[in-house]
Amino acid sequence: MPVVAEVEPADQDNAINLNDKDFPWQLVVDRGKILGCVYDNKFYSLGAILILESLPRKCELASDRNGQWQQLSEAELLLLQENVKQQQAVQREATYIGNEPINEQEARLIRYLRNVKKQTEANTTRLRN
């Protein structure tokens, strides 16, 4: 599993600091080659997507077995943009009712009620069939 999910933009909080002595480097270094990418003194696993200065890059394995940042293909870029829009819509839906912002407890209650409704609808559909 990547340190940073493949379709989610990588952020500095999810990266591993290279000076961290507790990180199991033996899992990502193979015969002197780093199986991942480094940016700003942080390690990102293969498949991680980093968005900085509006330039999305994906960590891929180069021919020398070191990770390197490469441009996303056209299809990957479209998928990433679609995913970001969906995440923003979900975030907006989870933190607002109409134009009014809600607090964390209200958001938690609404998520719970939506999940209960979804499960009830799924159970009802299953029972009909």
Side-chain angles (χ1 to χ4, degrees):
M1 172 124 192
V3 173
V4 180
E6 193 167 315
V7 293
E8 292 181 12
D11 60 79
Q12 296 297 340
D13 295 337
N14 289 332
I16 305 297
N17 192 317
L18 294 181
N19 298 325
D20 184 4
K21 304 294 185 214
D22 297 328
F23 184 72
W25 285 106
Q26 66 275 13
L27 300 177
V28 297
V29 176
D30 178 31
R31 291 172 271 161
K33 304 294 181 177
I34 299 175
L35 305 179
C37 297
V38 174
Y39 178 82
D40 195 23
N41 202 33
K42 306 258 191 228
F43 172 82
Y44 296 87
S45 64
L46 297 174
I49 293 177
L50 183 67
I51 299 179
L52 291 171
E53 300 127 18
S54 74
L55 297 173
R57 297 285 185 257
K58 182 168 72 171
C59 181
E60 292 187 348
L61 198 60
S63 59
D64 66 355
R65 292 188 0 256
N66 274 322
Q68 68 179 20
W69 293 109
Q70 296 184 353
Q71 287 186 345
L72 274 63
S73 69
E74 197 70 32
E76 289 171 325
L77 189 56
L78 289 173
L79 183 63
L80 177 67
Q81 290 171 343
E82 182 180 311
N83 185 48
V84 167
K85 286 179 186 176
Q86 288 175 351
Q87 287 177 346
Q88 288 172 340
V90 167
Q91 181 66 25
R92 170 93 177 148
E93 182 180 306
T95 57
Y96 281 81
I97 296 179
N99 290 331
E100 296 294 318
I102 59 177
N103 63 37
E104 184 59 35
Q105 291 89 0
E106 292 168 328
R108 194 174 306 130
L109 177 62
I110 290 171
R111 282 193 303 270
Y112 170 75
L113 293 173
R114 287 179 179 156
N115 285 334
V116 168
K117 180 182 177 189
K118 199 181 302 182
Q119 289 176 353
T120 302
E121 289 172 352
N123 289 340
T124 305
T125 304
R126 198 172 340 123
L127 288 175
R128 288 182 190 164
N129 296 332

